[in-house]
Amino acid sequence: EVELAESGGGLVQAGGSLRLSCTVSGFTFSDTYAIGWVRQAPGKAREAIGCFSSSDKSTRYGYSAGGRFRLSGDNSKNTVYLQMNKLTPEDTAIYTCGANFPYCNSDLFLFHTRGRGIQVTVSS
């Protein structure tokens, strides 16, 4: 069974940074994986942040990345990191990672398996 474990969320002041982690496990049917992130703030539509593909370490970003967010990965740990810089209160949301196999889905919102989500709160 594929499982995702998210970590790194919490409270940060505006202008600060956070790094979220998403570790995928339990997949035996693919040599490669891709992990993407989406977020949803209360009362707002979901936003696609981007996707990281372990096969070639390529990334694809959605509109909400805004140049302040960066995806990277450690294949030895089956982990993808979302580095978020210059955070503003508008970045407050639940951030959810999801996995696809073997590559990123063309639709950044669609996942084979989705994590539970992690809260990020940016104070002003």
Side-chain angles (χ1 to χ4, degrees):
E1 180 181 359
V2 177
E3 295 185 346
L4 295 169
E6 298 145 320
S7 63
L11 175 65
V12 64
Q13 287 189 330
S17 299
L18 274 179
R19 189 179 77 163
L20 305 183
S21 300
C22 179
T23 300
V24 60
S25 62
F27 62 101
T28 58
F29 48 84
S30 177
D31 292 332
T32 63
Y33 59 88
I35 290 178
W37 287 90
V38 298
R39 70 180 185 180
Q40 187 163 23
K44 295 186 178 180
R46 283 187 310 156
E47 295 180 314
I49 296 171
C51 184
F52 176 93
S53 178
S54 70
S55 61
D56 58 1
K57 296 194 175 184
S58 64
T59 55
R60 194 155 66 91
Y61 292 99
Y63 178 78
S64 66
R68 298 178 294 118
F69 294 178
R70 180 176 176 271
L71 290 165
S72 63
D74 185 340
N75 287 356
S76 69
K77 298 179 180 179
N78 289 342
T79 298
V80 170
Y81 305 99
L82 174 61
Q83 178 69 43
M84 304 186 293
N85 301 320
K86 299 180 181 180
L87 289 163
T88 73
E90 287 68 39
D91 294 314
T92 295
I94 294 176
Y95 287 70
T96 304
C97 69
N100 281 310
F101 308 92
Y103 309 116
C104 293
N105 197 303
S106 58
D107 184 334
L108 292 176
F109 291 103
L110 293 181
F111 300 113
H112 174 280
T113 302
R114 183 186 293 264
R116 294 185 175 183
I118 192 167
Q119 179 71 45
V120 170
T121 302
V122 184
S123 63
S124 58

